[in-house]
Amino acid sequence: MGDVHTNGKTEHCNGSSKTNGTVMKNGFAGDAALRSSRPSLWFEEEIEEDLRWVFSVSKILHTGLSKFQNIALVDSGPFGKVLILDGKLQSAEADEFVYHEALVHPALIHHSNPKNVFIMGGGEGSTARETLRHKSVQNVVMCDIDKEVVDFCRAYLTSNREAFRSNRLDLIINDASRAELEKQKDTFDVIIGDLADPVEGGPCYQLYTQSFYEKIVKQRLNSGGIFVTQAGPAGILSHGEIYTSIYNTLRQVFKFVVPYAAHVPSFSDTWGWIMASDQPLCKLSVEETDSRLKQRLTGDLRFLDGETMTAIFGLNKTVRRTLAGETHVYTEETARYIHGHGSAQTLSR
C-alpha cells in the first residue's frame, strides 16, 4: 500500500482510504532544512502503532489493487526493487536470498530425496528458483492466489525469469489451500508455505490454522514428507505476535517440529521459519550439510552453508522460553495477526 506525500497533501496510489505502508515525498514534516540533501521519496511502513520503518525510494514501478490485496513494487535506495503487499514489505532485491534460502533449503536437504514439491504462495518466483536448484526435484507446483502479483513479478524481477520458464514448474493461479491442495491427486515430498503474513482481513490467515495443517497439508505429504512455512517476526520483541503460536499449532499436528530464525535487514527484524514432519528431523553436522548442498544443488548459495545452518537453528534464550511456554493454538476463531489490515477489510468499509 503506498501513498505519495507532496507538500502536506496525500495522494493515494492504491485506491484505499487507509494505509499502513506509505511513500512520502520531500522527507519528513518539519525537516525542511535537510530536504535538499535527501532523496525525494521515502517508503514508510507502520510496524506497530508507535514504530515505523522508513527507507528511500528512487522510483515507483507499479501500484495496484487486486481482488485480494494492495500491491506496490518500488525501486529503493538501500534495498533495490522491493515488493510490498498490503502495506507490508514482502521481499527486497538486496537481501531476499536470505529469506528464500532459509525457507527452502533446510527442508529439502533434510529430506532424503525430494522429487515433488508444492509451493503455497511464492508469487514473486524466488521460492521456485531456490527449489529448482535441487537436482533431484522433478516437479514443482507453485500455487499463488493473485495473478496480478505473479504477472508483474515475472515482468520486473529479472532474477526469477529462468525459474518461471522452467519445464519443471507448474504454475497455478488459485486459492493455495482449499481449492488446489484439496483437489491435488499427487502427494508431495516437501510442501512450502511462502504466504503473506496473516493480517486482519487479508487473504492468508486461514492458511496458518490447525485445521488447515491437519486436514489439508498433512494429507498431501508423502510418507517422510516435510512441511516448512515462513512464520513471521522472531525477534526478541516480536516473536510473540504469531511465531510461537504457529510453532505450537504445528506441534498439535506433527510429531517433530523445528523452529529457526535469521536476521533479514529489509524486514528490520529477525525472521522465523518452522519445519514439521512425522519423521525425525535429525540435526545435521556442518560437514554433512555442506556435503549435501554441494552434491544436490546447482550453483552456489549466498547465505546458507553448514555453519550458517547451525547458527539459525540456535535460537536465543528468550525466544526458546516463549516457545516452550506457548499454549495458543491458531484457529480461525482465535487467529493472531501481524499489525496492519488486509485489503479485504479495507474494501468492505
Side-chain angles (χ1 to χ4, degrees):
M1 301 163 73
D3 293 347
V4 176
H5 288 229
T6 309
N7 297 326
K9 181 180 178 181
T10 301
E11 299 175 6
H12 296 283
C13 299
N14 52 30
S16 168
S17 60
K18 183 171 183 176
T19 182
N20 292 100
T22 301
V23 179
M24 304 181 300
K25 190 172 183 179
N26 291 333
F28 298 105
D31 204 15
L34 298 177
R35 287 178 183 173
S36 62
S37 62
R38 292 188 172 200
S40 61
L41 291 173
W42 295 83
F43 174 77
E44 176 184 285
E45 177 179 337
E46 186 176 291
I47 297 173
E48 298 291 346
E49 289 185 0
D50 56 357
L51 179 62
R52 296 185 178 189
W53 173 231
V54 180
F55 56 81
S56 65
V57 172
S58 58
K59 187 178 182 181
I60 300 173
L61 300 173
H62 175 95
T63 62
L65 180 64
S66 76
K67 177 182 177 182
F68 301 102
Q69 53 203 334
N70 294 282
I71 306 164
L73 186 68
V74 304
D75 203 349
S76 77
F79 301 122
K81 291 177 182 177
V82 174
L83 175 65
I84 301 158
L85 300 179
D86 279 339
K88 294 291 185 181
L89 188 152
Q90 298 297 307
S91 182
E93 187 176 38
D95 61 6
E96 58 84 9
F97 65 92
V98 177
Y99 172 92
H100 291 103
E101 289 183 19
L103 172 65
V104 171
H105 300 301
L108 268 71
I109 68 168
H110 273 82
H111 194 283
S112 60
N113 187 28
K115 294 181 180 180
N116 297 308
V117 178
F118 190 98
I119 300 171
M120 301 187 296
E124 70 182 90
S126 298
T127 299
R129 179 197 69 213
E130 293 302 319
T131 303
L132 290 166
R133 286 176 180 262
H134 286 257
K135 301 172 188 176
S136 66
V137 171
Q138 300 173 356
N139 183 52
V140 177
V141 178
M142 186 180 97
C143 183
D144 196 273
I145 198 171
D146 203 325
K147 184 177 186 298
E148 186 172 354
V149 170
V150 173
D151 286 346
F152 86 71
C153 286
R154 191 182 342 217
Y156 285 105
L157 302 182
T158 57
S159 62
N160 297 335
R161 285 179 181 170
E162 185 175 344
F164 278 117
R165 296 189 189 113
S166 174
N167 58 14
R168 292 185 289 159
L169 178 66
D170 181 11
L171 175 60
I172 298 170
I173 304 298
N174 205 335
D175 183 328
S177 61
R178 287 151 179 82
E180 195 54 47
L181 265 180
E182 278 186 317
K183 75 177 186 181
Q184 283 283 325
K185 295 180 180 179
D186 295 331
T187 51
F188 300 90
D189 300 311
V190 177
I191 296 177
I192 301 172
D194 185 18
L195 299 162
D197 299 327
V199 294
E200 190 173 4
C204 290
Y205 78 94
Q206 295 172 330
L207 309 187
Y208 292 92
T209 61
Q210 180 180 0
S211 62
F212 175 65
Y213 294 148
E214 190 168 56
K215 297 178 181 178
I216 300 177
V217 171
K218 190 171 183 178
Q219 304 309 312
R220 299 268 64 82
L221 281 172
N222 290 325
S223 176
I226 298 174
F227 172 62
V228 62
T229 183
Q230 80 90 9
I236 290 286
L237 301 180
S238 59
H239 66 278
E241 292 181 0
I242 60 169
Y243 183 58
T244 57
S245 175
I246 294 171
Y247 167 77
N248 189 56
T249 302
L250 285 167
R251 289 182 64 200
Q252 313 307 308
V253 178
F254 293 94
K255 295 179 181 178
F256 303 95
V257 180
V258 178
Y260 57 104
H263 181 66
V264 181
S266 63
F267 291 176
S268 70
D269 206 346
T270 300
W271 212 254
W273 303 267
I274 303 172
M275 284 196 302
S277 180
D278 278 344
Q279 296 296 317
L281 296 167
C282 298
K283 184 177 180 180
L284 302 176
S285 68
V286 169
E287 294 74 21
E288 178 63 20
T289 298
D290 286 337
S291 175
R292 292 190 185 189
L293 290 172
K294 182 177 180 180
Q295 292 173 12
R296 295 188 183 191
L297 270 66
T298 57
D300 294 326
L301 299 181
R302 299 172 64 187
F303 174 69
L304 202 66
D305 62 5
E307 288 191 19
T308 306
M309 178 101 62
T310 299
I312 66 177
F313 280 89
L315 300 175
N316 66 68
K317 184 177 181 180
T318 296
V319 174
R320 294 198 314 270
R321 279 183 168 178
T322 310
L323 287 168
E326 182 63 81
T327 59
H328 181 266
V329 175
Y330 204 108
T331 69
E332 292 188 23
E333 295 74 27
T334 65
R336 290 180 179 176
Y337 305 105
I338 296 291
H339 181 73
H341 295 279
S343 62
Q345 178 170 14
T346 302
L347 289 172
S348 68
R349 294 186 172 185

